[in-house]
Amino acid sequence: MIKALLAGPYPYIGQKITGGASAVVFNLHHGFYKYGNKVSIKVLSGTPEAKEDYEIHENIIYIKKPKKAIGSTFLSMYPFRIKSQIRKIEFDVINAHSLDFAYYGITEKKADNLVFTLHGVTWEEKKYLSKWSQIGWDILYVKRLKKALDNLKYLIAINPYVRDVVKGKTKATIFDIPNPVPEPLFELPTNITKENRMFYIGIIGKRKNLFNLIKALPHVKKEVKDFKLVVAGKVRDKTYFEQIQKYIIKYELSNNVEFLGTIDEEKKYEEFSKMSFLILPSFQETAPMVISEAFAAGKPVIASNVGGTQYMTGDNERGLLIDPFDEMDIAEKILYFLENPDEAKKMGRKAKRYAEIEHSLKNVIKRYEVAYEEISNQT
């Protein structure tokens, strides 16, 4: 039996899943228990919710992490706690799902046992930060990621885009394994789908580009009056959100846009059942979990032609691609789905079949086991 350590974001007891990487680690943890035949799993995760420096709950070890500022994370005792646990825990393979665990795993000379599942391309994400934030981001995340890639022996690419962006930056052996989707999403009812209902879920900040989506809606409204955009997610940039709210009022969109705030998994599943399609107008994405989840629910997507989304939607097979800088293009693609609901449903059925092969928990766990077995056999 291979002893594997999943190291990355994981919801603290009673807390919600926050972000794609957190969802992946959570899904893998549960998937290995259900389908893993060759691997025993422990989880190592940093969280500000921990009451002590280290907390153990069954096979999950939580490390206390600072609450504020990316800088404080690296100027605190947190890195030493990570390194202490990496030295202490017995494992054959450590699978890092965040840069901090990958970076400190390498500094602790564990590269032979370490495989990094890369969820975000930090030098691309940097472009959508303020100038001052870019300075700190570059030091803490861009340079560290490049150093990690330079020293990695094994890497998991969740999307062909990852292979593209690391080309020439790493000599690691790369395993192609997409993100797993929880099984209940494949079983969601479709008989409560509401026509002309689109769903956005993600943080509200510049990189996710919600404002340009909102700016497209007056163009949509000229052709179709009765539609609803449902928005879920945490406000990351209050000034940005205030601009959106003012625009909604100015162009009389209040009846067309609904904000839910941060939602739990149950509410997200409900919205996946209700929506006609998912829309994700981001400036930068790697392999958004919400797209994989929408596919599993049998719903098509409209997504930006950036990063890894182009590989996910196919050639108009499972969704439509947009130019995130062009509000007219966004409006045209929305109108296509609103005016051609049968075509949207057809794409949704294709998306579900695709997800059953690529993103089902059972299939993904098998691929992770193959990767872990190959790594453990080399050490």
Side-chain angles (χ1 to χ4, degrees), residues 108-168:
E108 287 301 303
K109 312 299 183 186
K110 299 294 183 179
D112 288 344
N113 307 79
L114 188 147
V115 58
F116 183 23
T117 302
L118 180 59
H119 291 285
V121 184
T122 55
W123 55 84
E124 293 295 333
E125 295 171 354
K126 170 189 167 184
K127 297 175 183 177
Y128 304 100
L129 300 171
S130 67
K131 288 184 178 180
W132 284 110
S133 296
Q134 284 186 17
I135 296 171
W137 187 270
D138 188 63
I139 295 169
L140 296 172
Y141 294 109
V142 176
K143 291 182 178 179
R144 285 169 184 253
L145 177 55
K146 289 180 178 179
K147 182 176 179 179
L149 289 171
D150 190 49
N151 289 276
L152 278 175
K153 291 194 175 181
Y154 305 101
L155 179 72
I156 290 174
I158 57 177
N159 187 295
Y161 169 66
V162 174
R163 276 188 174 268
D164 294 343
V165 295
V166 303
K167 189 175 182 180

Side-chain angles (χ1 to χ4, degrees), residues 260-315:
L260 301 179
T262 303
I263 60 175
D264 58 19
E265 293 297 287
E266 183 179 355
K267 181 63 176 175
K268 182 174 75 172
Y269 287 9
E270 179 186 332
E271 290 301 326
F272 275 135
S273 294
K274 288 181 178 179
M275 71 181 180
S276 305
F277 55 91
L278 179 79
I279 187 159
L280 195 66
S282 311
F283 289 127
Q284 169 61 25
E285 292 286 357
T286 301
M289 270 295 291
V290 290
I291 291 182
S292 304
E293 291 171 339
F295 286 171
K299 302 299 174 69
V301 304
I302 295 175
S304 298
N305 188 13
V306 299
T309 56
Q310 59 186 310
Y311 294 103
M312 302 179 78
T313 58
D315 187 12

Side-chain angles (χ1 to χ4, degrees), residues 53-291:
D53 289 351
Y54 308 101
E55 291 185 21
I56 300 175
H57 298 272
E58 297 182 349
N59 66 336
I60 305 167
I61 303 167
Y62 293 105
I63 304 173
K64 190 170 182 61
K65 180 179 181 178
K67 291 184 178 181
K68 294 182 180 180
I70 56 174
S72 67
T73 298
F74 298 98
L75 299 174
S76 68
M77 291 298 295
Y78 180 58
F80 299 97
R81 293 172 191 148
I82 291 176
K83 291 187 281 187
S84 171
Q85 289 300 305
I86 289 174
R87 289 193 296 266
K88 182 178 179 181
I89 300 170
E90 291 185 14
F91 55 79
D92 300 305
V93 177
I94 176 171
N95 181 192
H97 285 261
S98 59
L99 179 56
D100 48 3
F101 288 106
Y103 182 82
Y104 292 119
I106 288 168
T107 63
E108 287 301 303
K109 312 299 183 186
K110 299 294 183 179
D112 288 344
N113 307 79
L114 188 147
V115 58
F116 183 23
T117 302
L118 180 59
H119 291 285
V121 184
T122 55
W123 55 84
E124 293 295 333
E125 295 171 354
K126 170 189 167 184
K127 297 175 183 177
Y128 304 100
L129 300 171
S130 67
K131 288 184 178 180
W132 284 110
S133 296
Q134 284 186 17
I135 296 171
W137 187 270
D138 188 63
I139 295 169
L140 296 172
Y141 294 109
V142 176
K143 291 182 178 179
R144 285 169 184 253
L145 177 55
K146 289 180 178 179
K147 182 176 179 179
L149 289 171
D150 190 49
N151 289 276
L152 278 175
K153 291 194 175 181
Y154 305 101
L155 179 72
I156 290 174
I158 57 177
N159 187 295
Y161 169 66
V162 174
R163 276 188 174 268
D164 294 343
V165 295
V166 303
K167 189 175 182 180
K169 295 181 173 64
T170 185
K171 295 179 181 178
T173 297
I174 300 177
F175 302 94
D176 296 295
I177 310 178
N179 288 330
V181 170
E183 291 171 325
L185 275 164
F186 290 95
E187 302 163 4
L188 291 180
T190 56
N191 59 351
I192 63 171
T193 299
K194 296 186 178 181
E195 296 295 335
N196 298 356
R197 186 182 181 94
M198 56 188 124
F199 185 43
Y200 165 96
I201 180 168
I203 62 170
I204 298 176
K206 185 177 179 182
R207 181 171 67 86
K208 293 291 186 176
N209 193 33
L210 178 62
F211 200 2
N212 272 4
L213 169 56
I214 298 295
K215 287 179 180 178
L217 299 185
H219 304 294
V220 174
K221 200 169 183 178
K222 289 177 182 178
E223 305 295 329
V224 178
K225 303 291 184 186
D226 183 22
F227 68 87
K228 177 77 77 173
L229 169 64
V230 179
V231 176
K234 181 180 180 180
V235 176
R236 180 70 60 83
D237 186 331
K238 291 183 179 179
T239 302
Y240 183 81
F241 184 52
E242 288 169 0
Q243 291 174 334
I244 290 173
Q245 290 178 309
K246 288 177 182 177
Y247 190 91
I248 288 171
I249 294 169
K250 181 178 179 180
Y251 287 91
E252 299 180 347
L253 295 168
S254 297
N255 292 330
N256 301 102
V257 182
E258 179 183 356
F259 290 97
L260 301 179
T262 303
I263 60 175
D264 58 19
E265 293 297 287
E266 183 179 355
K267 181 63 176 175
K268 182 174 75 172
Y269 287 9
E270 179 186 332
E271 290 301 326
F272 275 135
S273 294
K274 288 181 178 179
M275 71 181 180
S276 305
F277 55 91
L278 179 79
I279 187 159
L280 195 66
S282 311
F283 289 127
Q284 169 61 25
E285 292 286 357
T286 301
M289 270 295 291
V290 290
I291 291 182

